[in-house]
């Protein structure tokens, strides 16, 4: 029931992911951050098997950092997406990762980009994409309301519409979502949309 | 559902008078859901050689990368472009290498050989070449495409007429297939 979706706007890209960590019928936690900062201007939103998700995205993050150390310049979004696809494709016939990825990034030369990478390593550049059961609702909402060159306010409005739709129409809808944005100023967390607050962990 | 029908595809190539046309649909799906309507299935190997890969999109992308690599190496060594017949043999060999763990792709190759003689061929997922003198088809809509092409094809069509014929054959066939469609890309050389 993991929901991940994202879209490209005017000079920025937004990705949204649910934040439930679920094991069978039990919800372990509802504030799990499934969107990782790949580097200063890239976000990787992943859904799938929890172990694979964390392991694979951390592996990609460290390799992207290694490239920057070795070569002195960061990878472009397209290069990072193709690298990620390559790793998934190589592992596919040996030890496949069950992780679906939406990679959003901002390059000075090409602007904001969003890449859809399937768990079987299908790569496609998109303006709007989604994974999971929530995709049936979020893709339809985005098909109706999306237009290219949206402002941040319009995009967040659309994101909220999608979240409302998922919450009201998906049978085991995740209660909380995290929204992250990437633009010329970098990748950062934009907001949380919480309807269930986890009890804070008491400090020792 | 078969693995070949996971993403949905439709490919057709036709021979004309000293020209060829290769066309594909634009849908990328995940079973019943459409993910994108601008997916490129046909790629250029060199100015007079195009390959379209139907079937599983991930294998189509991997296979395309391997083929471009092999062709670039060939260009460096031989200082010329590969002939279509040679390229078809290369694709066939690469596919048969994975005989017991195949790429789930059906390639359609179209090119102009010596003296601009058009060449088209298709093969199955393990590299069995099928040469044809008129048209070849592949993908989930292949049965419809066979019918449409058989009735619309004429020998020695000029480029403009060939473009019309291949477009109409493609569009009418994908309209009867739910897994392919959303327009078409046509390359005419």
């Amino acid at each position: 029931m993991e929901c991940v979706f994202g879209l490209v706007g005017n000079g920025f890209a937004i990705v949204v992911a649910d934040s439930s960590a679920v094991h069978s019928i039990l919800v372990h936690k509802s504030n799990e951050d499934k969107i990782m900062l790949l580097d200063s201007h890239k976000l990787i939103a992943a859904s799938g098997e929890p172990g694979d998700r964390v392991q694979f995205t951390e592996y990609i993050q460290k390799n992207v950092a290694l490239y920057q150390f070795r070569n002195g310049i960061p990878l472009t979004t397209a290069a990072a997406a193709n690298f990620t696809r390559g790793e998934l494709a190589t592992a596919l016939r040996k030890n496949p990762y069950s992780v679906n990825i939406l990679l959003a990034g901002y390059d000075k030369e090409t602007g904001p980009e969003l890449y859809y990478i399937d768990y079987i390593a299908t790569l496609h550049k998109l303006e709007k994409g989604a994974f999971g059961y929530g995709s049936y609702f979020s893709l339809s909402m985005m098909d109706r309301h999306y237009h290219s060159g949206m402002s941040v306010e319009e995009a967040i409005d659309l994101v909220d519409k999608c979240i409302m739709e998922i919450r009201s129409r998906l049978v085991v809808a995740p209660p909380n979502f995290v929204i992250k944005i990437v633009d010329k100023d970098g990748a950062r967390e934009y907001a949380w949309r919480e309807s269930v607050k986890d009890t804070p962990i008491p400090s020792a | 559902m078969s693995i070949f029908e996971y993403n949905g595809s439709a490919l057709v190539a036709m021979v004309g008078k000293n020209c060829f046309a290769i066309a594909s649909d634009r849908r990328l799906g995940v079973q019943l859901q459409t993910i994108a309507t601008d997916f490129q299935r046909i790629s250029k190997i060199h100015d007079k050689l195009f390959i379209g890969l139907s079937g599983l999109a991930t294998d189509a992308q991997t296979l395309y990368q391997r083929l471009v690599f092999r062709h670039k190496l060939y260009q460096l060594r031989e200082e010329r472009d590969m002939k279509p017949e040679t390229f078809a043999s290369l694709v066939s060999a690469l596919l048969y290498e994975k005989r017991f763990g195949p790429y789930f792709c059906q390639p359609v190759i179209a090119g102009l050989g010596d003296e601009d003689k058009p060449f088209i061929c298709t093969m199955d997922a393990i590299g069995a070449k099928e040469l044809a003198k008129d048209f070849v088809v592949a993908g989930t809509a292949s049965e419809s495409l066979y019918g449409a092409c058989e009735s619309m094809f004429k020998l020695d069509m000029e480029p403009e007429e060939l473009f019309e014929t291949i477009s109409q054959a493609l569009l009418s066939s994908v309209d009867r297939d739910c897994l392919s469609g959303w327009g078409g890309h046509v390359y005419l050389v």
Side-chain angles (χ1 to χ4, degrees):
Chain A
M1 310 299 162
E2 295 191 357
C3 308
V4 175
F5 62 95
L7 55 111
V8 172
N10 188 12
F12 66 92
I14 281 186
V15 278
V16 184
D18 77 289
S19 45
S20 323
V22 168
H23 193 127
S24 167
I25 57 166
L26 175 69
V27 178
H28 281 299
K29 64 190 291 216
S30 325
N31 55 5
E32 169 87 1
D33 188 355
K34 296 181 187 171
I35 308 181
M36 183 179 274
L37 254 67
L38 210 56
D39 71 13
S40 64
H41 284 75
K42 286 181 201 44
L43 287 169
I44 191 164
S47 74
E49 285 234 13
D52 280 347
R53 171 169 54 81
V54 173
Q55 289 283 72
F56 184 71
T57 51
E58 276 185 5
Y59 173 70
I60 299 295
Q61 188 192 52
K62 301 317 172 203
N63 271 284
V64 166
L66 182 63
Y67 180 93
Q68 186 164 356
F69 288 137
R70 277 188 179 147
N71 299 287
I73 50 163
L75 278 169
T76 58
T77 315
N82 275 288
F83 171 69
T84 308
R85 186 209 107 82
E87 290 302 308
L88 279 169
T90 314
L92 179 64
R93 284 174 155 90
K94 295 188 183 115
N95 194 5
Y97 295 104
S98 319
V99 197
N100 297 310
I101 283 166
L102 278 178
L103 199 151
Y106 184 92
D107 298 323
K108 258 207 313 270
E109 297 84 19
T110 48
E113 288 178 335
L114 180 68
Y115 287 91
Y116 169 104
I117 308 169
D118 216 334
Y119 73 102
I120 45 173
T122 310
L123 171 71
H124 195 60
K125 182 160 167 296
L126 290 172
E127 301 264 278
K128 49 190 186 327
F131 281 110
Y133 285 117
S135 68
Y136 291 112
F137 308 104
S138 48
L139 276 178
S140 306
M141 288 306 278
M142 289 194 280
D143 281 340
R144 173 66 182 85
H145 295 290
Y146 178 87
H147 56 88
S148 57
M150 290 171 94
S151 68
V152 181
E153 292 74 29
E154 284 175 317
I156 291 296
D157 194 53
L158 176 54
V159 162
D160 280 328
K161 281 197 176 82
C162 294
I163 292 176
M164 286 289 279
E165 201 62 25
I166 292 170
R167 275 197 183 137
S168 58
R169 291 295 184 184
L170 187 55
V171 62
V172 243
N176 302 336
F177 289 85
V178 61
I179 306 174
K180 294 200 181 178
I181 188 171
V182 60
D183 60 15
K184 63 175 181 7
D185 300 322
R188 60 194 178 279
E189 193 178 282
Y190 183 87
W192 284 79
R193 296 283 184 252
E194 286 172 317
S195 58
V196 164
K197 267 199 161 41
D198 257 355
T199 52
I201 303 162
S203 50
Chain B
M1 198 187 255
S2 137
I3 189 75
F4 290 100
E5 294 162 13
Y6 186 77
N7 290 125
S9 53
L11 273 174
V12 56
M14 276 191 189
V15 162
K17 197 174 168 70
N18 295 326
C19 62
F20 70 83
I22 181 168
S24 78
D25 74 319
R26 301 192 337 164
R27 179 182 179 272
L28 175 70
V30 170
Q31 295 189 310
L32 58 92
Q33 191 181 46
T34 300
I35 299 296
T37 56
D38 58 357
F39 189 66
Q40 281 274 18
R41 258 182 201 95
I42 300 174
S43 327
K44 189 170 90 156
I45 300 292
H46 63 77
D47 283 338
K48 294 186 176 173
L49 180 57
F50 284 77
I51 182 165
L53 290 158
S54 73
L56 198 60
T58 176
D59 281 347
Q61 286 171 337
T62 305
L63 193 58
Y64 170 66
Q65 286 172 349
R66 286 191 71 192
L67 287 167
V68 159
F69 170 73
R70 294 292 297 263
H71 182 255
K72 282 186 175 168
L73 221 53
Y74 182 93
Q75 275 179 325
L76 285 171
R77 287 184 180 136
E78 305 247 341
E79 289 177 6
R80 64 186 177 93
D81 291 330
M82 235 189 223
K83 281 205 284 244
E85 294 84 359
T86 319
F87 185 71
S89 299
L90 170 67
V91 179
S92 179
L94 272 183
L95 288 172
Y96 197 77
E97 258 175 19
K98 302 279 181 199
R99 170 65 176 83
F100 299 106
Y103 290 116
F104 298 107
C105 287
Q106 271 137 343
V108 164
I109 296 161
L112 287 179
D114 294 327
E115 283 128 44
D116 285 352
K117 187 165 178 307
F119 169 88
I120 52 169
C121 91
T122 183
M123 47 193 89
D124 67 2
I126 45 175
K129 258 189 288 188
E130 188 198 302
L131 305 167
K133 295 201 171 63
D134 40 17
F135 59 85
V136 289
V137 302
T140 51
S142 56
E143 279 141 11
S144 300
L145 278 165
Y146 273 124
C149 291
E150 195 67 63
S151 55
M152 295 189 202
F153 182 81
K154 293 201 309 273
L155 272 177
D156 283 340
M157 280 188 278
E158 293 296 326
E160 291 78 22
E161 204 193 344
L162 184 64
F163 172 78
E164 273 305 314
T165 309
I166 200 173
S167 309
Q168 293 299 335
L170 180 75
L171 288 175
S172 55
S173 307
V174 301
D175 279 348
R176 282 290 181 184
D177 178 23
C178 54
L179 294 174
S180 52
W182 285 102
H185 283 126
V186 183
Y187 291 84
L188 194 89
V189 179

